Amino acid sequence: QAGAIHLSQESGFVDFRRLLIKQQVKRGGVIQHLILSGNTGHGQRHGFIFGIADIQGRNTIHQGNINQVALIVDDCTTGYRNTQGEVRILAQEALASVTVGIFHHQIDAGRTFGAVFRYITFRAGGAFLTALVFGFLFGLPLINVLRKRQGKGQPIRNDGPEGHIMKAGTPTMGGLLIVGALLTSTLLWARLDNPFVWMVLFVTMGYAAIGFADDYAKVSKQNTAGVSGRVRLLLGFLIAGIAGTWAAWFHPAELTGQLAFPVFKDLLLNLGIFFVPFSMIVIVGAANAVNLTDGLDGLAIMPVMIAGGTLGIIAYAVGRTDFTDYLDVHYVPGTGEILIFSAALIGGGLGFLWYNAPPAAVFMGDTGSLALGGALGAIAVATKHEIVLAIVGGLFVVEALSVIIQVLY
């Protein structure tokens, strides 16, 4: 018989676990306490829960050879699938025939403090505060630089509302503050081995570059033309195409190329090769819808923060097997880290809003609106919630339709 056995990631868990369980089954012994601890992040296909839920592990548990199990895991994974993506097990299901409870485990204070950084929720809070402080620290210096270099500020269209004329002379490109806070916070707090984090950052930075080029052209030439619309769309679709392919590559096999519908979990539309073009339309459409909204009223930042926060919570939920089973939504491993990006977006947005509140000291410009809109679209594609984006971002849809109707009329 064995007493309390502590298996941790640091002890080479996968090989040690297989050896231990097989030997235990062979000897017919009893494990009184099996303690599993460590990080169970997205990159570990042989996660701790899967470690005791494979064939040997299930046999051991179902035979009653493990009497008590204590789980010490982070908040991003309480269950996992195997490498082929065919087995999906909650901890409660794997341990159905044993007593699951809290088992006291003594660890030093240094490891206790370090363990909190494994929690996505903790790091999301850190990303929010970092982005917020970034905005407060660098907002005023950036505005002063933009005002000095731009002179007359953002050109105002003559055919726009009369109230927009009062905004003449206000510097633009304030989106640099949001994007800078967003990038810094995400790189500091998110797991950099997560492909979805890099996908969303790629789209955000790509569209920020397009917006920056457009803003620079407008300010330097002092007209509202900017970069050609065809060039902007071409570059936007190129970035979105790469992102769509990126997402499809890392989606689980059962969801690759599928369009998911809200409420109806079992309702999937197989888009096949058309998924990438569809994702391109979603990302480009979101970017331009937010851009139009900001151009109309200059107050896109709050709706973006609301939509970004909502999508961040969705990303966190669909990245956890326990939440997806409870909420009856599709499980997309790894998307939980996007919550950190969303938290940074909200923090950076609040930092910008401090200077953008009437009378605005700076406009976000296309640098910010295209970047933030593209980010929303990328998150929706990554989490398989493209249709939900049209709901939580309904304001952007209405504003875009309004512009289209007016232009056609």
Side-chain angles (χ1 to χ4, degrees):
Q1 291 194 3
I5 299 178
H6 179 200
L7 306 180
S8 68
Q9 182 181 6
E10 292 77 12
S11 60
F13 178 79
V14 175
D15 294 332
F16 184 40
R17 178 263 304 165
R18 287 178 174 173
L19 175 64
L20 173 89
I21 291 180
K22 288 181 179 179
Q23 291 299 318
Q24 198 67 34
V25 172
K26 185 182 300 183
R27 292 197 303 266
V30 176
I31 302 175
Q32 297 294 339
H33 303 292
L34 177 61
I35 306 173
L36 310 177
S37 67
N39 183 11
T40 56
H42 167 64
Q44 295 176 272
R45 292 290 184 177
H46 292 282
F48 287 136
I49 301 303
F50 171 63
I52 58 172
D54 64 1
I55 296 176
Q56 292 80 13
R58 284 200 301 273
N59 286 342
T60 303
I61 292 171
H62 292 165
Q63 292 169 6
N65 290 335
I66 300 179
N67 293 340
Q68 195 174 74
V69 175
L71 303 177
I72 307 173
V73 296
D74 62 4
D75 68 340
C76 66
T77 307
T78 55
Y80 232 97
R81 61 185 64 212
N82 70 355
T83 50
Q84 289 77 31
E86 298 171 349
V87 179
R88 182 177 170 200
I89 302 174
L90 282 178
Q92 294 88 337
E93 295 173 355
L95 307 175
S97 61
V98 301
T99 301
V100 182
I102 299 175
F103 188 81
H104 296 288
H105 174 49
Q106 300 295 328
I107 55 178
D108 58 78
R111 289 189 61 185
T112 303
F113 176 77
V116 299
F117 289 95
R118 294 173 177 170
Y119 287 80
I120 291 178
T121 48
F122 176 83
R123 288 184 285 119
F128 168 80
L129 292 176
T130 301
L132 182 64
V133 172
F134 185 101
F136 288 156
L137 289 180
F138 297 101
L140 189 57
L142 176 63
I143 292 173
N144 291 334
V145 170
L146 293 176
R147 184 179 289 118
K148 180 179 179 180
R149 291 187 175 274
Q150 294 180 11
K152 297 181 181 180
Q154 175 176 307
I156 305 296
R157 294 173 62 98
N158 295 324
D159 56 352
E162 294 183 3
H164 282 200
I165 304 298
M166 299 174 58
K167 301 179 181 181
T170 305
T172 186
M173 295 187 187
L176 289 173
L177 181 65
I178 306 173
V179 173
L182 186 56
L183 178 63
T184 302
S185 298
T186 303
L187 292 179
L188 280 176
W189 292 97
R191 287 190 58 164
L192 301 183
D193 61 347
N194 187 292
F196 293 117
V197 169
W198 284 110
M199 184 204 104
V200 176
L201 281 178
F202 168 74
V203 173
T204 304
M205 295 302 113
Y207 276 91
I210 296 174
F212 179 85
D214 190 54
D215 286 336
Y216 183 82
K218 291 177 181 177
V219 171
S220 59
K221 299 175 182 178
Q222 276 301 302
N223 62 52
T224 58
V227 177
S228 167
R230 291 184 178 181
V231 174
R232 287 176 50 178
L233 280 177
L234 179 62
L235 293 175
F237 274 112
L238 177 62
I239 294 170
I242 296 173
T245 306
W246 195 329
W249 181 265
F250 288 101
H251 280 153
E254 63 272 21
L255 293 178
T256 300
Q258 303 284 342
L259 172 63
F261 291 85
V263 182
F264 306 100
K265 180 177 180 179
D266 296 327
L267 182 58
L268 290 171
L269 178 62
N270 186 8
L271 298 178
I273 61 174
F274 295 104
F275 173 77
V276 173
F278 172 75
S279 64
M280 293 166 64
I281 294 173
V282 171
I283 295 174
V284 173
N288 285 278
V290 173
N291 180 246
L292 289 173
T293 302
D294 187 61
L296 284 174
D297 54 28
L299 294 176
I301 186 60
M302 273 306 300
V304 166
M305 289 163 56
I306 294 172
T310 303
L311 289 174
I313 295 173
I314 291 174
Y316 179 71
V318 300
R320 293 185 50 150
T321 55
D322 51 347
F323 281 13
T324 52
D325 278 357
Y326 180 76
L327 299 173
D328 202 28
V329 295
H330 295 285
Y331 173 58
V332 186
T335 57
E337 288 289 317
I338 295 177
L339 176 64
I340 295 166
F341 177 93
S342 297
L345 187 155
I346 296 174
L350 285 175
F352 170 79
L353 190 60
W354 179 262
Y355 301 100
N356 186 242
V362 65
F363 298 138
M364 73 165 67
D366 291 354
T367 306
S369 59
L370 285 177
L372 295 177
L376 295 181
I379 296 173
V381 170
T383 58
K384 309 297 294 183
H385 278 69
E386 298 90 347
I387 297 177
V388 173
L389 173 62
I391 300 174
V392 299
L395 172 65
F396 307 127
V397 176
V398 172
E399 298 257 27
L401 289 175
S402 173
V403 171
I404 293 172
I405 292 172
Q406 291 181 62
V407 170
L408 293 176
Y409 180 79

